[in-house]
Amino acid sequence: MKLTTGDKSPDFESFDFKGIKQTLLETNQPVLLTFFRHAGCPMCNLRTRQLILAYDRLKQYNLKIISVFESPAASIRRDVGRQQPPFPIIPDPERKLYKRFGVTISWTGFVKIFFVRPRHVFEAIFKNGFIPKFAEATPMMPADFLINPDGTIRVAYYGKDIGDHLPFDELYTALDEMKSPVNLATQAA
């Protein structure tokens, strides 16, 4: 079942690919929980790269980022981990977290990217050198959840193709709204 704005986020404890325990809602801060396909997915590596490049700006919002990949830790280390992301990446090869957050498979969404985002595919593979690896390839759709400090979901974004993530301008707008005086007063009440 897909989650929507206002739903209480499921909490979890899991170990990232470095073996460090991560808890989703352990601190009173906003969280961006982002689901990817597998560690050898070019579009997933491109989005991870974009998050790395935006990390300093996102830190200004006191935002905690947690990524989830359907790959085992060894694959994450070999592929996406080479980018040395400053945020945790959780391996979930059994897709337990995917199920809890309503993230699904779509063959249509897998094929759709080549028609709706060919430039995105070109950028990932040819410009950035993220060569596809199909060892763990499934047509999982990406999803992003911006979670309020109180644990409610502020934004639930389910991708329509394998490269479709919450646009950064929408993320920044939601983060700005979370910091506004009206929202701060509401959270304090």
Side-chain angles (χ1 to χ4, degrees):
M1 187 167 105
K2 290 188 175 184
L3 301 172
T4 61
T5 300
D7 286 348
K8 185 72 172 167
S9 174
D11 197 5
F12 63 82
E13 281 188 359
S14 190
F15 289 92
D16 66 22
F17 79 100
K18 295 177 181 178
I20 301 168
K21 185 167 80 170
Q22 301 294 330
T23 305
L24 181 64
L25 303 174
E26 70 182 351
T27 58
N28 191 27
Q29 68 186 112
V31 178
L32 176 64
L33 177 64
T34 182
F35 286 86
F36 292 96
R37 293 179 60 230
H38 61 90
C41 167
M43 279 56 71
C44 304
N45 275 281
L46 179 62
R47 178 60 175 208
T48 299
R49 180 81 184 134
Q50 293 167 342
L51 284 170
I52 292 168
L53 293 172
Y55 187 73
D56 286 341
R57 181 173 176 192
L58 293 169
K59 270 180 40 177
Q60 294 174 6
Y61 292 95
N62 191 32
L63 182 68
K64 175 181 177 178
I65 301 172
I66 298 178
S67 293
V68 180
F69 278 78
E70 65 172 325
S71 299
S75 297
I76 293 171
R77 259 190 300 284
R78 180 193 68 220
D79 295 318
V80 72
R82 292 182 321 160
Q83 297 187 63
Q84 299 180 350
F87 45 84
I89 298 176
I90 296 175
D92 187 19
E94 292 88 28
R95 297 187 200 114
K96 292 177 183 176
L97 295 176
Y98 290 81
K99 290 173 188 156
R100 290 184 71 191
F101 284 83
V103 182
T104 60
I105 289 174
S106 170
W107 284 103
T108 303
F110 178 78
V111 173
K112 190 176 182 181
I113 192 168
F114 298 101
F115 299 101
V116 297
R117 298 176 199 273
R119 195 174 125 229
H120 192 81
V121 174
F122 178 84
E123 181 181 356
I125 297 172
F126 298 106
K127 187 175 176 188
N128 286 283
F130 298 127
I131 305 303
K133 295 182 179 103
F134 298 103
E136 298 133 11
T138 63
M140 293 300 298
M141 291 296 99
D144 299 296
F145 301 92
L146 180 59
I147 303 167
N148 288 310
D150 68 1
T152 59
I153 295 175
R154 178 149 193 106
V155 177
Y157 189 91
Y158 290 91
K160 294 173 184 62
D161 62 64
I162 62 172
D164 185 19
H165 282 274
L166 177 64
F168 278 101
D169 59 339
E170 290 180 34
L171 174 60
Y172 290 127
T173 297
L175 288 166
D176 284 335
E177 289 170 356
M178 290 169 78
K179 287 178 66 173
S180 76
V182 171
N183 285 320
L184 293 176
T186 304
Q187 289 176 2

